């Protein structure tokens, strides 16, 4: 949902949420990642200064194992990026 790109070979387990239809920002996920049960990736950040008119960005590299119930949010501003590298 939303502005989401998911690379080849990724596995999303039951209940995993990626992106948000209501102003979550841009999400880019590399290749070969595993997203665990009920994780929330790239949803709207909880920062009170977040402005939905200037959404943030989340970039996740390749071959990461993101475990169950993990929350990784987009940055709080359009000029910023939350970034997780490879492996």
């Amino acid at each position: 949902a939303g502005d989401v790109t998911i690379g080849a070979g990724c596995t999303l387990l039951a209940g995993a949420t990626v992106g948000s239809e209501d102003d979550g920002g841009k999400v880019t996920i590399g290749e070969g990642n595993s997203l665990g049960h009920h994780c929330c990736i790239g949803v709207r950040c909880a920062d009170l200064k977040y402005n939905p008119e200037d959404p943030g960005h989340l970039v996740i590299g390749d071959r990461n194992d993101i475990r169950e119930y993990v929350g990784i949010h987009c940055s709080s501003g359009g000029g910023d990026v939350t970034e997780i590298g490879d492996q």
Side-chain angles (χ1 to χ4, degrees):
D3 188 358
V4 174
T5 302
I6 299 176
C10 288
T11 303
L12 280 71
L13 299 178
T17 300
V18 179
S20 174
E21 290 182 6
D22 55 326
D23 67 27
K26 183 176 180 181
V27 179
T28 305
I29 299 175
E31 297 181 355
N33 289 291
S34 175
L35 306 180
H37 297 280
H38 304 285
C39 66
C40 291
I41 307 299
V43 297
R44 181 178 176 170
C45 79
D47 189 335
L48 295 177
K49 71 177 178 279
Y50 178 75
N51 178 0
E53 295 176 10
D54 186 25
H57 191 179
L58 170 64
V59 176
I60 296 176
D62 299 332
R63 300 171 309 281
N64 292 291
D65 184 16
I66 298 170
R67 300 302 302 236
E68 57 278 347
Y69 297 100
V70 168
I72 304 172
H73 302 282
C74 290
S75 61
S76 58
D80 298 325
V81 177
T82 299
E83 187 169 1
I84 296 175
D86 297 337
Q87 293 183 328

